[in-house]
Each structure stands twice: as C-alpha cells, then as structure tokens.
Amino acid sequence: MWARLLPADRDMLRYHLRAAGVPATLRRAARSWSSGRRARAATAIGDLRLGEGARDLDRLLRDRDPRVRMSAARALGRIATHQSARTLIAALELGLLPEQRLVEVLGEPWAATPLLLAFRAPRTVALRVPLADALGRTGAAAAVDTFVAAMPAASTDLRIRMVRALTRIGSPAAVAAVRAAMSDPHGRVRAQAAWSLARLGDPDATALLEHGLHDSAPWVRANCTAALRRLAQ
C-alpha cells in the first residue's frame, strides 16, 4: 500500500497518525511484557514508516526474543534511511541476528552509501564478507572501485564474495573486474569468475574462458566448459 501512495498522501497519513497518537501508542506497545506485542509494534512502526520509532527499533534489536529482533530489523528496512542502515550494520557487528537475515534487509539501494562507508572502515574488516554481499544486492555501481582496490589484500573468501557482488552489479566496470578475477592466484576465485562470466552473458569473455580450459584447477576447467556452453546458446 505504502509504495502506491504519492509523497503528499504519505505526509498527510503521517500527520493524521501523529494527531491520533498512534506513534505514542506503538512506543508503549514496544515496551510491553508480551514478546508478541513487541514484535507487532515493531512491524507496525515499519509498515507506517514512523521514523520517530527508530530509537525503539534500535532497542528492540537487542530484545531477548529473536522474533522481536527480526521484526525490528525488517521495520528499519522499511523506514529505509541512512540511520536505519547504520543501526542495522551495528547489529551485524554485534551479532544480534543471523548474518544472512541482516544482509537481506540491507541489500537495497537506500543502504548503499552507509554500506560502502562501513566496508571501507578499518574497524569493520571482519564484516567485509557480509558487507560485500549486501553491497552486491544493492546494485551500487559505486562499489566497483572499492572492490577492485580491496582485491589484492583480501582473503580468498572475500575475493569470492566480491566477484559474486560484482556479478550482481553487472555494470561495464563490474564485468571488467570479473574478467580480471580470471587471473586470480586462487583456483576458487577463478572458478567463481568463470561462473560469473557465464551469468553475465559476457560474449567478450570467450577467449578468457577458452584459456581457462587448460587451468591447473579441475573446478576452473569445469566452470569454463559450462560457461562456454551457456554463452554459445
């Protein structure tokens, strides 16, 4: 429903909700002894895009009930502000929810800028794998240069995730970076790059993939064979 409303209608709806005392009611419900009521309050705050409820959602991310924490995370995703993203990234850092769930919530264009800042920050080096996953989901072309710069010093797992993220982004620069990953020193990264080139449907990658048929790693050869077959269809 919210997506179909015009901005003026959204502002009018928020005005009437505030006049009716709905935000205050939801804030009280968010402190209820009932975990079900706290979860429903978090969901309502998100559904109604009540930005003033973000502080309550931040607190509910630390709730003892995982269902409440997940409801709060989804609500912050619906509010969709840079502050919401920063709060969710902090939850990721603290391990308040399963990593993949937070990646799913953060993987939207509205979160791209805070995700990029977090990925570049020295204190979040341990979080770069999930941050790369989330950035790929946002489709943010601005992440490509950051990934390319991070490749040389990154772990094997992170390089694989960045190649996957580049595949999701799919811009010309991202495609070029995936091609470059075909020269990575680790076979797992090269295998991922071959699979990604097939998914990207890159016709200019044929020579690289044919060269990969002679790779020392069998899984690279297998992925290059499958990629060439797919590109030939």
Side-chain angles (χ1 to χ4, degrees):
M1 181 196 76
W2 189 267
R4 295 195 295 268
L5 292 176
L6 295 172
D9 294 330
R10 294 177 186 178
D11 291 341
M12 183 62 69
L13 177 58
R14 288 193 188 99
Y15 171 81
H16 286 296
L17 289 169
R18 289 173 182 132
V22 171
T25 300
L26 291 174
R27 293 194 72 180
R28 287 194 296 272
R31 291 173 168 78
S32 170
W33 61 268
S34 166
S35 60
R37 194 174 185 196
R38 294 196 301 275
R40 289 192 294 273
T43 298
I45 290 170
D47 286 346
L48 297 171
R49 305 325 194 253
L50 297 175
E52 62 265 47
R55 186 173 298 176
D56 294 285
L57 296 174
D58 186 3
R59 178 175 52 79
L60 291 175
L61 280 173
R62 295 162 174 76
D63 196 273
R64 62 181 178 272
D65 190 320
R67 295 171 300 175
V68 177
R69 297 199 297 271
M70 194 65 242
S71 295
R74 290 188 182 122
L76 285 164
R78 292 188 185 100
I79 291 173
T81 62
H82 284 182
Q83 183 55 50
S84 296
R86 287 189 286 269
T87 300
L88 290 165
I89 291 166
L92 183 65
E93 191 172 0
L94 294 170
L96 299 178
L97 278 163
E99 190 176 275
Q100 186 57 32
R101 297 296 188 189
L102 287 168
V103 166
E104 289 167 1
V105 175
L106 282 164
E108 299 290 342
W110 58 268
T113 298
L115 284 169
L116 264 174
L117 291 172
F119 187 91
R120 293 167 180 157
R123 69 179 180 82
T124 57
V125 168
L127 295 178
R128 283 190 170 181
V129 167
L131 290 172
D133 286 346
L135 276 166
R137 288 170 177 265
T138 69
V144 175
D145 288 344
T146 297
F147 288 158
V148 170
M151 281 281 185
S155 67
T156 300
D157 283 342
L158 178 54
R159 296 202 304 277
I160 291 170
R161 297 299 185 94
M162 288 193 289
V163 171
R164 290 179 186 170
L166 289 163
T167 308
R168 286 181 179 270
I169 293 169
S171 67
V175 175
V178 174
R179 286 187 205 138
M182 285 294 293
S183 300
D184 191 274
H186 202 290
R188 286 174 57 207
V189 181
R190 298 195 300 276
Q192 177 63 52
W195 179 90
S196 294
L197 289 170
R199 183 176 173 184
L200 288 164
D202 180 14
D204 297 329
T206 301
L208 275 174
L209 294 168
E210 288 176 346
H211 180 75
L213 295 175
H214 306 286
D215 196 277
S216 59
W219 52 89
V220 177
R221 298 196 298 271
N223 278 13
C224 286
T225 300
L228 286 165
R229 188 180 300 119
R230 179 167 179 173
L231 290 174
Q233 291 176 354

